[in-house]
Amino acid sequence: QVQLVESGGGLVQPGGSLRLSCAAAGFICSAVFMKWYRQAPGKEREFVALISSTGGITKYADSVKGRFTISRDNAKNTVYLQMNSLKPEDTAVYYCKVSLPQDYWGQGTQVTVSS
């Protein structure tokens, strides 16, 4: 069955960096777009970034543009989100998503940016 497992979250100080990973299984990861979303406490889940099947197309939310980088390693069925210059407002649970076309989500990984 389809599985998405996020990892790499944690507590980081403002200005710090984290790299999130999303390990995929149960489908041909190299054939589909992958997306990252996040949900902060009391807020709706919001789009963060997407990457095309080959990695040639990437798009970002305005709030993370220039600070976050999405990438993928299709040989490892894994998608990454490199997050630099983190701000307290980046605090959220981060999820990866695939549409097959049914939407599948991972369980999420908590990112907390605080001094």
Side-chain angles (χ1 to χ4, degrees):
Q1 70 275 23
V2 174
Q3 280 192 318
L4 299 170
V5 180
E6 301 95 336
S7 61
L11 173 64
V12 63
Q13 292 187 343
S17 298
L18 283 174
R19 188 176 83 152
L20 306 184
S21 300
C22 172
F27 63 99
I28 303 174
C29 181
S30 60
V32 297
F33 280 53
M34 298 291 294
K35 298 178 180 180
W36 283 98
Y37 283 74
R38 66 186 182 186
Q39 187 166 19
K43 295 188 176 181
E44 293 190 353
R45 196 169 296 188
E46 64 176 1
F47 168 78
V48 174
L50 70 78
I51 187 167
S52 64
S53 56
T54 61
I57 298 171
T58 57
K59 293 190 184 296
Y60 299 91
D62 287 343
S63 58
V64 307
K65 206 171 291 184
R67 300 186 298 121
F68 290 12
T69 303
I70 189 171
S71 62
R72 65 192 299 160
D73 183 341
N74 285 338
K76 295 182 178 180
N77 291 332
T78 301
V79 178
Y80 304 98
L81 186 68
Q82 177 67 43
M83 307 186 297
N84 298 329
S85 302
L86 283 162
K87 304 175 181 180
E89 51 263 43
D90 294 317
T91 295
V93 178
Y94 285 71
Y95 300 90
C96 61
K97 173 189 170 184
V98 65
S99 300
L100 297 177
Q102 178 182 349
D103 289 342
Y104 293 90
W105 297 86
Q107 84 289 348
T109 185
Q110 175 71 48
V111 171
T112 302
V113 184
S114 175
S115 54

